[in-house]
Amino acid sequence: MKNHTSYLSTNRRMFLKAALLSVCLLPVVTSCSEEELLEPKPLTSLADVEAFSNPDRVLAQVNGLYSSVKNGQFLGGRYFIYVDVRGEEFLNVSNNGVTALQTWNHTNNSGSNEPTNLWNQAYLAINRINLFLEGLDANPTVVDAALASQYKGEARFLRALTYLSMVQLYAQPYTKDNGASLGLPLRLKGEVGTGNNDLVRSSVADVYKQVLEDLNFAEQNLAATNTSAALNTTRAHKNTAIALKTRAYLAMGRYADVVTEAAKIVSATAPYRAATGVAHQLQASVSTVFTNYTTTESILSMPMSSNDLPGTQNGLASYYMPIVGIGDYSLNPNGIIGNAAFTATDARRTSFVKNDFTGDAGRIRLTKFPTGPQHTDYVPVIRYAEVLLNLAEAKARLAAGVDADALALLNAVRGRSAPTAVYATMASKTALVDAILLERRIELLGEGFRSNDLLRQNLPLPAKANIQAVTVAASVYIWPIPQGELNVNKLAVPNP
């Protein structure tokens, strides 16, 4: 399989050295020697006993797993860009072929760089996770049992996050046919050679089943809280796993399960807050979340610093801000910013929507991620605002009429930024669901949700500028399985 065998054999040293360098620069690492930087020991062989020779090296590997997932080609930047620009909220202004242009105009094929590079990085991360899990089992006395269980919980959380992210791009929505469509090759064993390249694509349902198994394990074994606000934002804990389960169940249309999971971390009435573990809650000002990256609203973020960057043309600001990057994408005036529900005084508009950049032809820009030319913005993966909206939508869809709790949850998110525009009532259940979906577009703009939200509703990808809408039956409705995978995995098949 090209993604972690032949792919690793030709590119391994470059990628692994880069990955280990990131490990040593993460703020959560306790120690990392120059020797380990130059000659990284773990990642490719369980026979390498030095990888598990002491607790510091085991912890370095844990942080290495996060580093692999937060690579700029994956959850360090590009994944969120791809999911958003497939929708209608952004317009391409640079015509730059290496910054998501084919994703924006729906011209990716099995040989395209965008689906290929993301696939390779995601499966590289999965393989590292699998190797780590097996290595930890093979060396049970290096760290105590409780800490080993926590580390396994973190690894399985990251595997679930990776598979959930991928299945929403490369496979049909679960809601289309209860997950009967072709999903992904479900690789759960570490690979150090090419012997197990051939693996069939599991069904979408089986991929989600594994995601939920990993998240349930993670919830049971992760720490209730980590030792600092920074670690509570950048490493998983119990509430992180619970929050991601609400996303997975929402994507599956299993609304009762969304309610069950969200109830663990959302109080029954406002002001909403997690009663156990990390005390997650909305911040008083939405802008705080994008300047202070470690508040209790940030459930999981990918940390960046001047010594640990997402990489060239991967940073979110590079795509959206013309002054600190290329600024490949402006906001579409006919997208959410043109909707009357996104009021002129909404703090999310006054804080994050600008059109006064010199020499930018009056284009409307998203400024949630303002740093540059070094792009040190943390990448938000899960926020408490999303959990509240997940719960609101699930409650609204389950109710026979207008659900009061769903309306209150919606107003908690909306009222934070637009207190004069909260909804006193709703005319119908349908109107409430529509308002919640609209609020997702406003609150989560630029955070990698739009096209996934469209797909889970089995809706077309809307037209934008000169790009026609993509119907649910179109071959480009989902991303293609990369040709590199098909070449080396003889049991894999392309999407129909």
Side-chain angles (χ1 to χ4, degrees):
M1 184 180 70
K2 183 179 179 182
N3 42 1
H4 64 63
T5 51
S6 61
Y7 174 72
L8 272 178
S9 67
T10 57
N11 297 283
R12 180 160 54 193
R13 289 188 65 84
M14 177 183 69
F15 271 96
L16 299 189
K17 284 188 177 182
L20 262 289
L21 179 61
S22 295
V23 172
C24 294
L25 295 175
L26 276 171
V28 292
V29 172
T30 59
S31 65
C32 199
S33 70
E34 181 178 0
E35 179 184 359
E36 287 173 309
L37 280 173
L38 296 176
E39 295 296 333
K41 300 297 183 184
L43 310 178
T44 60
S45 176
L46 293 177
D48 192 344
V49 295
E50 291 185 25
F52 294 89
S53 61
N54 61 60
D56 280 352
R57 291 198 176 193
V58 175
L59 176 58
Q61 287 191 78
V62 173
N63 288 298
L65 304 183
Y66 285 93
S67 181
S68 288
V69 170
K70 80 162 197 170
N71 182 280
Q73 290 287 345
F74 189 33
L75 297 185
R78 287 196 180 232
Y79 177 84
F80 305 98
I81 299 293
Y82 295 148
V83 172
D84 269 329
V85 303
R86 295 189 81 223
E88 78 278 34
E89 309 293 18
F90 294 94
L91 299 177
N92 183 276
V93 299
S94 68
N95 206 36
N96 186 347
V98 298
T99 51
L101 179 61
Q102 286 184 278
T103 296
W104 181 77
N105 62 23
H106 310 300
T107 58
N108 276 316
N109 57 50
S110 62
S112 297
N113 285 333
E114 290 158 18
T116 298
N117 291 343
L118 192 145
W119 178 280
N120 287 342
Q121 183 57 43
Y123 270 107
L124 174 61
I126 288 167
N127 196 50
R128 290 190 66 187
I129 290 164
N130 293 339
L131 287 169
F132 172 78
L133 288 168
E134 292 169 17
L136 201 57
D137 283 341
N139 297 272
T141 62
V142 179
V143 296
D144 66 65
L147 186 57
S149 293
Q150 177 186 325
Y151 288 165
K152 291 176 185 178
E154 291 187 78
R156 291 186 65 171
F157 169 83
L158 291 172
R159 187 168 68 185
L161 175 63
T162 300
Y163 272 123
L164 179 60
S165 300
M166 291 183 71
V167 77
Q168 293 179 89
L169 263 181
Y170 294 93
Q172 293 291 339
Y174 183 97
T175 50
K176 175 184 178 180
D177 50 16
N178 289 320
S181 297
L182 286 172
L184 304 168
L186 199 54
R187 297 191 179 273
L188 305 175
K189 296 181 179 180
E191 303 292 348
V192 295
T194 61
N196 296 315
N197 275 2
D198 295 337
L199 183 66
V200 298
R201 293 175 61 182
S202 295
S203 69
V204 169
D206 282 343
V207 175
Y208 274 94
K209 179 181 178 182
Q210 183 62 49
V211 166
L212 292 170
E213 286 181 3
D214 280 346
L215 291 177
N216 285 330
F217 178 92
E219 180 188 355
Q220 294 300 313
N221 290 279
L222 288 170
T225 65
N226 294 318
T227 56
S228 68
L231 293 182
N232 282 337
T233 303
T234 59
R235 282 179 61 178
H237 46 78
K238 289 184 184 295
N239 289 358
T240 323
I242 294 166
L244 192 61
K245 278 197 278 183
T246 72
R247 182 186 297 179
Y249 281 128
L250 191 69
M252 300 171 77
R254 289 174 55 174
Y255 303 120
D257 290 312
V258 176
V259 174
T260 298
E261 294 299 330
K264 299 175 183 177
I265 57 174
V266 180
S267 54
T269 58
Y272 299 108
R273 182 172 179 169
T276 60
V278 180
H280 296 298
Q281 60 184 336
L282 294 178
Q283 299 303 292
S285 169
V286 69
S287 61
T288 301
V289 184
F290 296 91
T291 54
N292 179 357
Y293 301 121
T294 60
T295 72
T296 51
E297 183 167 339
S298 299
I299 299 177
L300 180 68
S301 295
M302 297 296 161
M304 302 295 171
S305 70
S306 59
N307 292 321
D308 184 16
L309 297 168
T312 304
Q313 296 176 312
N314 292 332
L316 300 178
S318 176
Y319 285 80
Y320 297 137
M321 293 280 285
I323 303 303
V324 301
I326 298 172
D328 301 270
Y329 293 90
S330 65
L331 285 163
N332 183 359
N334 297 318
I336 190 59
I337 63 166
N339 192 293
F342 199 177
T343 64
T345 58
D346 191 311
R348 294 164 296 191
R349 182 183 287 273
T350 59
S351 297
F352 304 136
V353 178
K354 308 290 184 184
N355 66 345
D356 57 356
F357 290 101
T358 302
D360 196 37
R363 296 186 182 98
I364 308 169
R365 297 292 188 165
L366 179 69
T367 63
K368 273 185 176 178
F369 314 106
T371 66
Q374 286 191 317
H375 304 303
T376 57
D377 304 283
Y378 279 30
V379 178
V381 180
I382 311 173
R383 288 199 289 126
Y384 197 60
E386 180 209 344
V387 176
L388 296 185
L389 292 172
N390 292 348
L391 178 57
E393 183 180 341
K395 281 179 169 286
R397 290 188 184 276
L398 288 169
V402 175
D403 186 86
D405 290 341
L407 181 60
L409 288 158
L410 166 61
N411 279 333
V413 176
R414 185 167 180 78
R416 189 249 300 261
S417 298
T420 63
V422 295
Y423 301 102
T425 186
M426 283 288 169
S428 66
K429 169 181 175 176
T430 298
L432 177 55
V433 171
D434 288 346
I436 294 167
L437 293 170
L438 200 62
E439 200 66 25
R440 290 179 70 88
R441 293 175 64 189
I442 298 171
E443 178 68 26
L444 303 174
L445 180 63
E447 297 178 50
F449 286 89
R450 181 54 180 154
S451 65
N452 286 348
D453 276 350
L454 289 165
L455 265 65
R456 68 179 172 84
Q457 300 174 77
N458 295 283
L459 294 174
L461 298 172
K464 57 203 174 187
N466 62 334
I467 306 301
Q468 294 183 341
V470 174
T471 68
V472 297
S475 61
V476 293
Y477 189 60
I478 57 175
W479 262 14
I481 303 301
Q483 189 60 48
E485 174 73 11
L486 299 175
N487 288 345
V488 298
N489 180 358
K490 303 308 180 185
L491 296 180
V493 294
N495 291 323

